[in-house]
Every structure is written in C-alpha cells, then in structure tokens.
Amino acid sequence: MSIQSKYICSECGKEFEITPKLMVCPICSQKQKDNKPLRGILEVKYSADDLFDIEELIPLEHSWIPDLPVGFTPLWKAEYLDDGHSQLYLKDDTGNLTGSFKDRASILVAAFAKKHGIKEIVLASTGNAGSSMAGIAAACGLKATIFLPKTAPRAKMVQALQYGANVISVDGNYDMAFDLSLEYSQKHKLLSRNTAYNPLTIEGKKSVAIELYKQIGDAPDYVFVPVGDGVILSGVYKGFKDLLQFGFIKKMPIVVAVQAEGSPAIHDALKSGQFTKCSADTVADSIAVDVPRCGFYALKQLQKFNGQSVLVSDEEILMAQKELSEKAGLFAEPAASASYAGYKKMKKAIDKDASVVLLITGTGLKDIDSATKKIVFPKTSIKSIKEI
Ligand SMILES: *Cc1c(COP(=O)(O)O)cnc(C)c1O
C-alpha cells in the first residue's frame, strides 16, 4: 500500500507505530495533572505518493470497515428556517445507525478491534458514546462494556442495554466513570474507546469534513460545531487538515465552537489561554463536561486556524431546538441544536454569500424530557369532534 500512517504526538511531535496498546504519548502523558484536559494526544499522520481518493486516508485497510449505515449523512438546506444565508446547510447526523455523530468514531474503533482480534471494547460515556459503541459493537459481533454515571439520560441507558451491552452504572460523575473504565480496560487488557484518549476517536470523526468537501465541492466558509470534550471539533479540523495537506482544498473553514453557558471550558480557554475546572450544568447533556478531555488539542487547532467560539444559554438552545423541529422538520437533541443557536447569535457578523454548515449531531428522540419544556400537551381527550 502506498499510504503510510503513523501516530504523531500533538505536543512533542514524536512518531509512533499504530498499535492497540498505544493511546496517549508515553512521554507527554507523564505531565498529566488532575482536572486538566488530556496530555499527549496522538494524531494520525499520513504520507502517500499517489492518492486518488481522500477516503483512502484511514489508518487501516478499507476492508476492515464494517458495512453499516454510518456517515455519508445528508447535507441539506431548510427552506423555511430563519437564516439570512442562501447557503445555510444542515449536516444531519441524526440518521446514523444509533442516532448520533458518535457512530463515526465507534465504527473506526470497531474496525480496528476486528483487525487486531480484540473482542471487547470498554468506554466511559455520558450517554451517546456508550449507546453508539453498544450498537456498533452489536453489529460487529463485539462485546461492549460501558461505564455510565447513574444520572445518564434514561433513553441512552435503555438504548445501550437494548443493544446488549454490559452497562456498569457508576455512583459518581463522568470523570469518575472515565477513570474507572481506564482502570478496567488496563486490568483486563481491553481496548478503550474513551473519547480523545483513543486517537481513533478524533480520526473517525474527521469523516464529516471529508463528506462536506465532497458534498459542497470545497471546504465551506463556516462550520458550527457543538462542543463538549472537543473531539468532534478536533475531528472536523483533522479532516480539513488532511484535505489541505493533500491539496484537495486551499483554505481551512472558520470553525465556530458552540458551547452552553453552563459548560464553557473551551470557550473560556480560547479567551484566557488556560483551562479552569467548572461544574457543568446545562440542559444539553451531551456537551456538559467539567474537564474537556480534548481541551488542549482543540484549543491549539482553534488558535492555529482562527477558530471562533460562542456561548448559548439553555433558553436559546431550547428555542433553537423547537425552531429546527418546526421549520425544518428536524428534531435534534439539545446539544445538537446548539449549533443553530450559535449560528443565530453570530449570523449578522457573517458575510451574506458565505457557505455555512451547522452540524446536527444527535436525534431529539433520545431526550424527550428536554423537548417537553417547549411544548404544550393537549389538556383533554375527546370522543367526538363536536368537543373541539
Ligand atoms: C458528544 C456530543 C457532542 C459533543 O462532542 P465532543 O466531542 O464531546 O465535543 C455534541 N452533540 C452530541 C449529540 C454529542 O453526542
């Protein structure tokens, strides 16, 4: 094969062979401090002499990728959505196999496990990553063990159990689940899919950038991304960086990190240059994080490529969720609706002719409790239409 892939440390630049045992840079990870984003995140680096199709840029042979309905999601314009930009696109990831963007990472991790004869994958999750890995593992004949905080949204836990995953409920927060899952995967020599920690999570999520390039014919001018741990954001950047490296595009898009006011770690770090631990509290559970695991890496990309960030309130998120449903027929979960909320806040500052993409990262059916805050149920039930 003419394409070579290696891991390269995003901090010290040291290169490593890609193996299932290696997750973070053995040198830089020694500097890891409690309550800080992960140190020593590894990036996949490619070299190729004859590249015909950008989709060849994956760190294993294509034949390992299971044939599942993941990615290749629709990009569409919603005619009745309040926009102001004729080129406003929704990148609709609600239709992935398990209903969220997380499937893009899970499918690559599952392929990697199959290639290396690994039978079980372990991860900590606040909900979507767990239910995603559970579903993809089920479809690939693999076992998934998921550490979920006991406060995880019920539908996401039900989904993981329905797929037959081994769900371990943790009496603590996501950070505790993260640590326990690592301890477990190391003790039993199992593959971890913890987000940001496993380099293939960033690499898997980059597929969205490749698709956008194919669907638009170029990089869009703006991409709005809902941000929690910052792995989707990092994946978006990684994909466009690969496209740039191999000459498919000439310039990077402006990526806008949208965060909830109650979970602003990466936005704050972009303003202040450092990470301070917060106690996340927002209706958008999928972007609620105290410590963004991919924080250092995500911040570096935002700084390097003139990225921007914006905060949105829970009220703005819920309004955006309702509007997406009512005017585009797209029922997205609160975290996914944050993209649209962020766009609405920033649209005046964006050139009228710009192409703008909103990443819609998960379906609203996974969290109906949040959606019920903006709807009114019928007060009575009728037996005859005369009662209406
Ligand atoms: C995980 C998730 C996000 C945020 O992704 P990060 O990589 O944690 O920043 C956004 N929306 C949905 C629906 C998610 O599940």
Side-chain angles (χ1 to χ4, degrees):
M1 201 172 53
S2 59
I3 300 163
Q4 309 286 326
S5 55
K6 286 217 152 92
Y7 280 150
I8 179 167
C9 175
S10 60
E11 293 190 36
C12 70
K14 200 169 179 329
E15 294 188 359
F16 304 91
E17 289 302 313
I18 297 178
T19 71
K21 285 201 187 79
L22 188 64
M23 293 281 132
V24 284
C25 171
I27 304 144
C28 296
S29 62
Q30 311 238 318
K31 295 179 227 153
Q32 184 67 48
K33 298 216 174 69
D34 282 351
N35 295 326
K36 292 285 177 199
L38 284 171
R39 299 297 305 262
I41 287 196
L42 299 175
E43 195 176 67
V44 178
K45 180 187 169 187
Y46 298 96
S47 44
D49 16 81
D50 53 342
L51 183 71
F52 298 109
D53 186 349
I54 189 73
E55 277 175 40
E56 289 175 45
L57 291 186
I58 48 172
L60 39 65
E61 298 74 20
H62 239 287
S63 53
W64 290 107
I65 303 286
D67 191 10
L68 298 174
V70 172
F72 305 100
T73 57
L75 179 78
W76 51 285
K77 287 183 186 174
E79 196 181 337
Y80 296 99
L81 204 61
D82 164 31
D83 49 45
H85 286 87
S86 57
Q87 288 193 77
L88 178 71
Y89 298 98
L90 303 171
K91 179 64 171 161
D92 181 2
D93 259 47
T94 63
N96 278 315
L97 184 65
T98 77
S100 88
F101 191 101
K102 297 289 191 289
D103 288 356
R104 294 178 182 274
S106 300
I107 196 168
L108 188 59
V109 174
F112 189 73
K114 290 210 91 156
K115 172 173 173 167
H116 292 279
I118 294 164
K119 302 262 177 321
E120 184 175 346
I121 299 172
V122 183
L123 75 156
S125 167
T126 60
N128 275 340
S131 51
S132 166
M133 195 68 251
I136 304 256
C140 293
L142 299 165
K143 193 177 157 193
T145 294
I146 300 158
F147 288 73
L148 274 186
K150 66 177 181 192
T151 53
R154 197 169 148 75
K156 294 176 182 176
M157 166 138 6
V158 169
Q159 198 187 6
L161 289 165
Q162 177 73 8
Y163 290 135
N166 175 26
V167 176
I168 294 164
S169 177
V170 174
D171 188 7
N173 62 8
Y174 171 62
D175 293 73
M176 189 191 236
F178 198 94
D179 293 341
L180 291 178
S181 80
L182 280 188
E183 206 182 312
Y184 181 84
S185 58
Q186 278 154 10
K187 183 171 170 206
H188 297 284
K189 300 200 168 28
L190 300 167
L191 183 66
S192 170
R193 182 225 177 271
N194 277 6
T195 196
Y197 180 72
N198 185 325
L200 298 182
T201 54
I202 297 177
E203 195 60 20
K205 287 177 174 185
K206 87 173 183 190
S207 60
V208 74
I210 313 283
E211 287 168 30
L212 287 174
Y213 159 74
K214 291 199 159 180
Q215 288 167 318
I216 294 176
D218 199 349
D221 296 312
Y222 287 82
V223 186
F224 282 76
V225 185
V227 173
D229 277 313
V231 180
I232 296 183
L233 178 100
S234 301
V236 167
Y237 271 123
K238 177 57 168 52
F240 285 114
K241 283 199 296 185
D242 283 355
L243 286 159
L244 198 65
Q245 180 190 341
F246 289 95
F248 289 90
I249 58 170
K250 298 277 174 290
K251 65 166 182 49
M252 295 289 278
I254 293 175
V255 177
V256 185
V258 185
Q259 292 210 283
E261 280 176 2
S263 180
I266 289 181
H267 169 84
D268 286 356
L270 187 59
K271 304 281 171 243
S272 71
Q274 55 193 358
F275 285 94
T276 41
K277 188 180 184 226
C278 65
S279 290
D281 181 18
T282 164
V283 64
D285 64 286
S286 297
I287 50 171
V289 299
D290 294 357
V291 180
R293 297 289 159 174
C294 205
F296 291 130
Y297 181 91
L299 179 64
K300 202 167 166 178
Q301 314 306 312
L302 285 165
Q303 288 168 336
K304 190 168 172 191
F305 299 109
N306 294 318
Q308 300 179 6
S309 67
V310 60
L311 293 183
V312 288
S313 68
D314 279 5
E315 179 62 19
E316 288 166 329
I317 290 173
L318 292 172
M319 291 291 290
Q321 182 186 33
K322 190 78 172 75
E323 262 186 56
L324 274 176
S325 302
E326 283 188 346
K327 296 185 175 168
L330 180 50
F331 183 19
E333 69 166 84
S337 309
S339 306
Y340 181 50
Y343 163 75
K344 278 168 71 91
K345 246 181 156 158
M346 290 191 44
K347 68 178 180 183
K348 286 213 179 71
I350 297 175
D351 192 76
K352 279 271 169 289
D353 304 322
S355 53
V356 181
V357 172
L358 311 180
L359 294 193
I360 308 296
T361 46
T363 171
L365 288 171
K366 292 209 206 194
D367 181 11
I368 55 169
D369 285 346
S370 299
T372 52
K373 294 186 176 123
K374 288 279 171 229
I375 54 176
V376 181
F377 287 96
K379 292 228 166 34
T380 53
S381 307
I382 62 157
K383 287 212 170 78
S384 148
I385 58 164
K386 285 187 205 132
E387 297 173 53
I388 295 172

